[in-house]
């Protein structure tokens, strides 16, 4: 019985290691809804099934076996899509854990963004945006989705308003009484000092 | 799993992420140059009507068009 137990134990991990790939290696998404079309054909065989949202979407590209040469970036805001599947060399995102450089082949990551500068590097040109906050989802197939609530090119920022805001919120922090007021003042200071360093740095 | 992991200061003060994110976005919009500032603020204006319901029927609706607030 002990011999059989060790055999079973030895068998199980080998099977598991071979059959279960990494959870970050996603298979390519399907482009048509197979179960829906089958069910439709059973009930209404004479008509073509309507297209489902799945068939309008572009399927997710599979994770390639070798690292691709370009990173594909989707940068979206609630009111516009700044970059849509744009192929770039690198993006530097202002994550809460610091400036994070994303190259093709980056490990799959989800990062929360803090107010800061997002720079997109394509060849020799660098495009910079100031991002208010958001998230970046980096997928294993070298696609990066950056979603932000507000993102502006740096030349649209007014340095005087930034300085004034910084001074305002610094005084509000010392005069604040409730936790909420102090938190709001602290947010103001964080955002304005990030704006300041974006304009001067 | 640490359930008392270091929380951000705004969550410790009782604010949700959405509120924090909207405050940040408003602050950035207020620091824009004209005419970008006017465009951004007009883009974020909301208009909505509220009506209280009693006995399954709506009472008179009030139309509000608050300037964007957190």
């Amino acid at each position: 019985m002990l011999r059989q137990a060790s055999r079973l134990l030895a068998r199980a991990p080998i099977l598991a290691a071979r059959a279960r790939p990494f959870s970050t290696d996603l298979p390519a998404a399907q482009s048509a809804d197979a179960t829906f079309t089958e069910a439709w054909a059973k009930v209404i065989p004479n008509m073509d099934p309507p297209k489902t949202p799945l068939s309008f979407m572009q399927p997710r590209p599979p994770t390639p076996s070798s690292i691709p040469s370009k990173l594909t970036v989707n940068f979206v805001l609630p009111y516009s899509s700044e970059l849509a599947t744009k192929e770039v060399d690198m993006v530097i995102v202002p994550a809460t854990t610091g400036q994070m450089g994303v190259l093709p082949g980056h490990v799959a990551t989800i990062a929360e963004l803090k107010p800061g500068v997002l720079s997109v590097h394509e060849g020799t040109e660098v495009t910079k945006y100031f991002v208010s906050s958001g998230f970046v989802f980096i997928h294993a197939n070298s696609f990066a989705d950056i979603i932000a609530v507000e993102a502006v090119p740096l030349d649209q920022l007014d340095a005087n308003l930034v300085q004034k805001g910084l001074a305002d919120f610094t005084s509000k922090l010392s005069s604040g009484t409730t936790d909420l007021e102090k938190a709001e003042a602290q947010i103001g200071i964080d955002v304005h000092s990030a704006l300041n360093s974006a304009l001067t740095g | 799993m640490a359930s008392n992991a270091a929380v951000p200061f705004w969550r410790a003060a009782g604010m949700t992420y959405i509120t924090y994110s909207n405050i940040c976005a408003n602050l950035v919009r207020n620091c824009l140059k004209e005419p970008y500032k006017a465009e951004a603020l007009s883009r974020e204006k909301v208009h909505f009507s509220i009506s209280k319901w009693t006995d399954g029927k709506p009472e008179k609706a009030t139309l509000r068009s608050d300037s964007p607030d957190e």
Side-chain angles (χ1 to χ4, degrees):
Chain A
M1 193 184 71
L2 279 175
R3 256 188 311 169
Q4 282 180 350
S6 59
R7 189 162 44 100
L8 286 168
L9 277 173
R11 204 165 36 145
I14 297 173
L15 270 181
R18 211 177 33 200
R20 196 166 23 108
F22 286 119
S23 59
T24 49
D25 287 345
L26 298 161
Q30 4 144 240
S31 58
D33 219 338
T35 42
F36 176 74
T37 38
E38 282 166 20
W40 179 279
K42 268 190 238 158
V43 179
I44 315 173
N46 296 335
M47 282 171 63
D48 282 328
K51 290 172 82 164
T52 52
L54 201 58
S55 58
F56 286 106
M57 285 167 58
Q58 291 194 330
R60 170 176 55 227
T63 310
S65 46
S66 65
I67 296 178
S69 60
K70 292 279 206 186
L71 181 71
T72 317
V73 171
N74 297 316
F75 179 28
V76 293
L77 301 172
Y79 50 86
S80 88
S81 157
E82 289 288 327
L83 304 171
T85 57
K86 180 152 193 254
E87 304 225 324
V88 297
D89 296 321
M90 169 172 79
V91 291
I92 302 185
V93 294
T96 44
T97 50
Q99 297 286 110
M100 171 162 51
V102 183
L103 291 157
H106 197 282
V107 65
T109 313
I110 302 180
E112 182 193 337
L113 300 179
K114 66 178 180 210
V117 177
L118 168 85
S119 47
V120 180
H121 299 250
E122 168 62 13
T124 48
E125 36 170 88
V126 178
T127 328
K128 290 193 185 177
Y129 301 89
F130 185 86
V131 162
S132 70
S133 60
F135 287 90
V136 63
F137 299 88
I138 304 166
H139 304 279
N141 54 5
S142 291
F143 268 66
D145 300 322
I146 309 173
I147 54 172
V149 177
E150 191 66 55
V152 294
L154 296 182
D155 51 14
Q156 290 182 12
L157 292 168
D158 186 341
N160 294 328
L161 289 173
V162 171
Q163 297 285 26
K164 191 162 109 35
L166 187 56
D168 274 345
F169 281 102
T170 321
S171 66
K172 275 190 199 165
L173 182 63
S174 40
S175 70
T177 46
T178 66
D179 259 349
L180 198 56
E181 281 177 28
K182 289 208 197 104
E184 286 179 7
Q186 183 63 48
I187 296 174
I189 295 181
D190 284 346
V191 171
H192 285 270
S193 35
L195 281 163
N196 216 3
S197 50
L199 287 172
T200 53
Chain B
M1 286 255 292
S3 55
N4 298 332
V7 289
F9 64 90
W10 38 267
R11 193 172 284 283
M15 203 189 288
T16 62
Y17 179 80
I18 281 270
T19 318
Y20 163 73
S21 187
N22 285 337
I23 292 178
C24 288
N26 274 325
L27 293 173
V28 172
R29 277 180 218 123
N30 284 333
C31 288
L32 291 173
K33 289 183 192 158
E34 296 293 342
Y36 305 111
K37 186 170 179 181
E39 281 174 15
L41 293 179
S42 69
R43 191 199 320 132
E44 296 298 321
K45 270 198 172 24
V46 287
H47 303 265
F48 52 96
S49 84
I50 292 182
S51 50
K52 281 198 161 53
W53 286 61
T54 47
D55 295 332
K57 288 189 189 39
E59 292 175 358
K60 183 164 188 319
T62 52
L63 199 57
R64 308 245 310 251
S65 98
D66 289 355
S67 52
D69 256 298
E70 312 94 21

